[in-house]
C-alpha cells in the first residue's frame, strides 16, 4: 500500500468513527428525522467512496465538506429513485436546488455541533423504547457498530440490529421533529443523553471486550459531546457540567493507567507527573460550575471523588475520610451493589482491611457481584493485606477466571505471584 493510500485509509477510518456521525446529523437536518435511515445509508456510501477516491487523488483540503456534499448527492439520487417520484417531482426538485445552492465548503464546527445536539434528542424521544434510545444513540452519535453495542448490552448482534431497525421505523412513523425539545420536555430527555454519554466514556476508560484496556477515542468523543451540552443555553445544566467534570478528571489520568509494557497500574502506583494537569484544572472548573444548582446528582458525587484523587499531591496524602463520606452519599442515592463494593475500598483505607472485608460481606445484593472479577480481586487484596494467603489466592484465582481483558488477567496473575502462588 502506497503512503498516499495508507494516509487516505487512515483519514477515512477516522471519519468513519468520528466525523460520520456528525455528517449523519447534518444530513438529517436537511432530510428530517423520518429519513434517518436514508441519511445513514448515504453517509456510509460516501465513506466507502472516500476510501476509493482519496487513495488515488489524495485527501481533499476540507474532508468534512467533501463527505457532506457526496452524501447529499447520494441522498438526492435515492429520493429521485423512489416509486413516488412523479408525485413528488416538484418538491424534490425544489429541495435539490436548495441543497445544491448551499455553501457546502463553509461547513463549520458550529453547524455540526447544532445538528449533533438535535440528533441527541431525536434518539431520546420518549416515544422510543428505553433500550432502543441508548442503542440508537451509540450507533448514530458515537459510531458504535452493532457488535460493539451488543457487547455493551450483553445481547446478540442480531438482537441489536433488530432493535435499531425498530427504532428507525418508529422515528419514521412518528415523523419526530429534528429539534431540541421544549423546556417542559428537556429534563427527562437530557437524563437519557447524559447516561448514554456516561456509558460511552466508561467503555473507553475500561473496555468491556477486546485486547485494549483503554480506548481513548471513545473517552474524548464522550467529552466532546458533553461539552456541546454545556455550551448550549437549553442544556447548560449543573448535572451536565458535573458529568463533564467527571470525564475530564478521569481522562486526565488515562496515560498513567498502564506502564510502557501495557501493564495495568493501580492509582497509588501511577506517576502523577504523567497526569494531564491542564485537563484536571478544566475538570475542577467544570465542577465549580456544576455547584450552581440545588440538586446533587450521581455525577456530582463521582466527580467530587475523582477531584479528591486528582488534587492529592501523592497517594499517601489522599483524603480517604472525605472519599468515604462521598461514597456514603453515593450509596444512599443509588443503592448500587457496585457502589457498595467501591465504598468498601474506602472503608479499608480508613478503618483497615478487616473492616473492608466486613463491608463487602454486608452488601445486601452481594450475590450479584459474584460474577464480577473486581469483587474477587478486592477481596483478594484485603485478604492478602491481612496475611490470609490461602483466602487471597482463592479470590485472586476467581478474579482471574472472570476477567475478560488480557491486561486485567495479567494484573491479577501478578497479584497471585506476589502471594507465592502460580497461575491457574
Amino acid at each position: 500500500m502506497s503512503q498516499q493510500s495508507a494516509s487516505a485509509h487512515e483519514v477515512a477510518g477516522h471519519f468513519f468513527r468520528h466525523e460520520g456521525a456528525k455528517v449523519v446529523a447534518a444530513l438529517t437536518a436537511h432530510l428530517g428525522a423520518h429519513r434517518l435511515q436514508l441519511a445513514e445509508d448515504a453517509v456510509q456510501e460516501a465513506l466507502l467512496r472516500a476510501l476509493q477516491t482519496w487513495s488515488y487523488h489524495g485527501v481533499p483540503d476540507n474532508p468534512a465538506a467533501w463527505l457532506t456534499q457526496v452524501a447529499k448527492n447520494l441522498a438526492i439520487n435515492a429520493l429521485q429513485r423512489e416509486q413516488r417520484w412523479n408525485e413528488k417531482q416538484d418538491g424534490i426538485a425544489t429541495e435539490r436546488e436548495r441543497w445544491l445552492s448551499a455553501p457546502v465548503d463553509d461547513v463549520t464546527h458550529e453547524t455540526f455541533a447544532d445538528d449533533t445536539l438535535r440528533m441527541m434528542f431525536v434518539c431520546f424521544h420518549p416515544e422510543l423504547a428505553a433500550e432502543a434510545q441508548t442503542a440508537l444513540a451509540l450507533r448514530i452519535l458515537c459510531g458504535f457498530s452493532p457488535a460493539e453495542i451488543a457487547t455493551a448490552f450483553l445481547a446478540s448482534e442480531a438482537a441489536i440490529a433488530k432493535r435499531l431497525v425498530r427504532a428507525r421505523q418508529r422515528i419514521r412513523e412518528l415523523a419526530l421533529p429534528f429539534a431540541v425539545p421544549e423546556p417542559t420536555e428537556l429534563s427527562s430527555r437530557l437524563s437519557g443523553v447524559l447516561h448514554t454519554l456516561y456509558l460511552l466514556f466508561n467503555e473507553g476508560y475500561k473496555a468491556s471486550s477486546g485486547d485494549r484496556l483503554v480506548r481513548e477515542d471513545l473517552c474524548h468523543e464522550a467529552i466532546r459531546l458533553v461539552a456541546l451540552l454545556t455550551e448550549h443555553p437549553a442544556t447548560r445544566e449543573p448535572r451536565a457540567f458535573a458529568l463533564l467534570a467527571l470525564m475530564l478528571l478521569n481522562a486526565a489520568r488515562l496515560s498513567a493507567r498502564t506502564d510502557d509494557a501495557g501493564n495495568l497500574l493501580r492509582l497509588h502506583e501511577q506517576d502523577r507527573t504523567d497526569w494531564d494537569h491542564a485537563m484536571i484544572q478544566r475538570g475542577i472548573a467544570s465542577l465549580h460550575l456544576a455547584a450552581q444548582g440545588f440538586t446533587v446528582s450521581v455525577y456530582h458525587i463521582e466527580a467530587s471523588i475523582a477531584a479528591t484523587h486528582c488534587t492529592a499531591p501523592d497517594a499517601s496524602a489522599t483524603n480517604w475520610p472525605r472519599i468515604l463520606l462521598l461514597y456514603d452519599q453515593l450509596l444512599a442515592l443509588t443503592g448500587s451493589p457496585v457502589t457498595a463494593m467501591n465504598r468498601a475500598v474506602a472503608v479499608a483505607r480508613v478503618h483497615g482491611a478487616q473492616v473492608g472485608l466486613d463491608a463487602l460481606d454486608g452488601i445486601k445484593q452481594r450475590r450479584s457481584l459474584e460474577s464480577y472479577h473486581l469483587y474477587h480481586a478486592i477481596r483478594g487484596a484485603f485478604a492478602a493485606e491481612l496475611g490470609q494467603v490461602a483466602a487471597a489466592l482463592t479470590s485472586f484465582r476467581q478474579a482471574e477466571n472472570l476477567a475478560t481483558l488480557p491486561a486485567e488477567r495479567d494484573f491479577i496473575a501478578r497479584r497471585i505471584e506476589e502471594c507465592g502462588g502460580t497461575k491457574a
Side-chain angles (χ1 to χ4, degrees):
M1 182 183 294
S2 69
Q3 184 174 357
Q4 177 172 293
S5 178
S7 175
H9 275 74
E10 182 178 348
V11 173
H14 169 81
F15 266 73
F16 189 83
R17 168 68 80 176
H18 299 284
E19 306 297 329
K22 301 176 190 177
V23 181
V24 169
L27 197 57
T28 305
H30 289 283
L31 294 168
H34 65 291
R35 295 282 193 178
L36 174 60
Q37 184 65 67
L38 174 58
E40 289 188 83
D41 291 344
V43 172
Q44 179 112 358
E45 177 63 25
L47 286 163
L48 291 175
R49 293 193 181 191
L51 278 173
Q52 299 167 350
T53 304
W54 297 355
S55 296
Y56 290 99
H57 301 289
V59 179
D61 293 336
N62 190 339
W66 188 99
L67 196 67
T68 302
Q69 184 65 70
V70 172
K72 278 186 176 184
N73 292 339
L74 288 166
I76 291 171
N77 291 339
L79 287 171
Q80 291 173 335
R81 289 194 298 269
E82 287 190 350
Q83 292 180 353
R84 291 175 293 177
W85 160 245
N86 291 331
E87 301 172 12
K88 303 288 187 179
Q89 186 170 2
D90 291 341
I92 292 176
T94 300
E95 180 70 2
R96 179 184 176 88
E97 288 302 316
R98 182 172 71 84
W99 279 16
L100 293 182
S101 63
V104 177
D105 288 337
D106 292 335
V107 169
T108 64
H109 170 74
E110 288 72 22
T111 301
F112 278 141
D114 289 343
D115 291 338
T116 302
L117 189 67
R118 287 190 286 268
M119 195 73 248
M120 287 189 203
F121 289 101
V122 171
C123 292
F124 287 95
H125 195 281
E127 290 290 342
L128 300 178
E131 66 274 11
Q133 292 175 351
T134 304
L136 195 64
L138 291 174
R139 175 65 182 141
I140 297 173
L141 295 171
C142 308
F144 273 39
S145 68
E148 289 174 312
I149 300 170
T151 298
F153 277 96
L154 300 179
S156 69
E157 185 175 349
I160 292 299
K162 289 179 181 178
R163 191 177 298 179
L164 291 168
V165 168
R166 287 194 296 267
R168 294 185 186 103
Q169 288 175 340
R170 188 65 174 155
I171 289 173
R172 186 169 60 250
E173 291 167 2
L174 296 171
L176 298 183
F178 189 76
V180 174
E182 295 298 319
T184 54
E185 302 176 10
L186 185 64
S187 182
S188 60
R189 278 205 247 174
L190 182 58
S191 296
V193 171
L194 293 176
H195 181 63
T196 294
L197 298 179
Y198 176 78
L199 293 178
L200 174 64
F201 182 88
N202 287 346
E203 178 65 18
Y205 191 76
K206 206 288 289 181
S208 59
S209 62
D211 295 329
R212 296 165 54 193
L213 175 71
V214 176
R215 298 180 61 182
E216 293 191 27
D217 57 329
L218 299 188
C219 291
H220 291 299
E221 181 66 6
I223 290 171
R224 184 187 72 81
L225 292 172
V226 176
L228 287 181
L229 293 171
T230 64
E231 292 165 5
H232 196 284
T235 52
R236 280 178 61 90
E237 292 195 11
R239 54 184 167 156
F241 279 108
L243 180 56
L244 180 59
L246 173 61
M247 290 180 175
L248 289 169
L249 291 166
N250 283 334
R253 306 196 302 263
L254 283 175
S255 62
R257 291 192 66 212
T258 56
D259 62 18
D260 293 339
N263 295 317
L264 180 62
L265 298 176
R266 290 168 288 188
L267 193 59
H268 70 273
E269 297 171 330
Q270 294 176 16
D271 183 349
R272 298 188 179 216
T273 62
D274 287 339
W275 291 359
D276 188 331
H277 293 280
M279 189 175 285
I280 289 172
Q281 291 306 311
R282 284 180 59 201
I284 297 297
S286 295
L287 191 55
H288 285 316
L289 291 170
Q292 294 178 354
F294 298 99
T295 303
V296 175
S297 68
V298 167
Y299 309 128
H300 283 85
I301 301 174
E302 291 192 12
S304 296
I305 292 171
T308 305
H309 284 299
C310 285
T311 54
D314 54 57
S316 63
T318 302
N319 189 344
W320 283 105
R322 171 175 168 74
I323 291 175
L324 178 55
L325 177 63
L326 289 167
Y327 269 119
D328 288 341
Q329 296 173 5
L330 188 60
L331 185 58
L333 198 60
T334 68
S336 162
V338 174
T339 298
M341 178 190 73
N342 291 332
R343 174 186 174 275
V345 175
V347 168
R349 295 292 181 270
V350 175
H351 300 294
Q354 184 57 59
V355 184
L357 271 175
D358 294 340
L360 285 179
D361 291 336
I363 296 174
K364 292 180 180 179
Q365 298 170 284
R366 184 160 58 94
R367 291 188 64 182
S368 65
L369 298 172
E370 289 290 339
S371 61
Y372 193 29
H373 81 278
L374 278 178
Y375 169 75
H376 298 286
I378 291 169
R379 289 194 73 92
F382 290 165
E385 190 174 334
L386 292 168
Q388 301 169 2
V389 176
L393 286 172
T394 297
S395 293
F396 282 139
R397 285 181 175 134
Q398 285 179 291
E400 186 179 33
N401 290 334
L402 292 168
T404 57
L405 299 179
E408 293 172 338
R409 289 194 295 270
D410 291 343
F411 172 82
I412 296 166
R414 292 197 299 275
R415 303 290 80 75
I416 292 173
E417 291 176 5
E418 288 172 359
C419 290
T422 58
K423 188 173 180 179

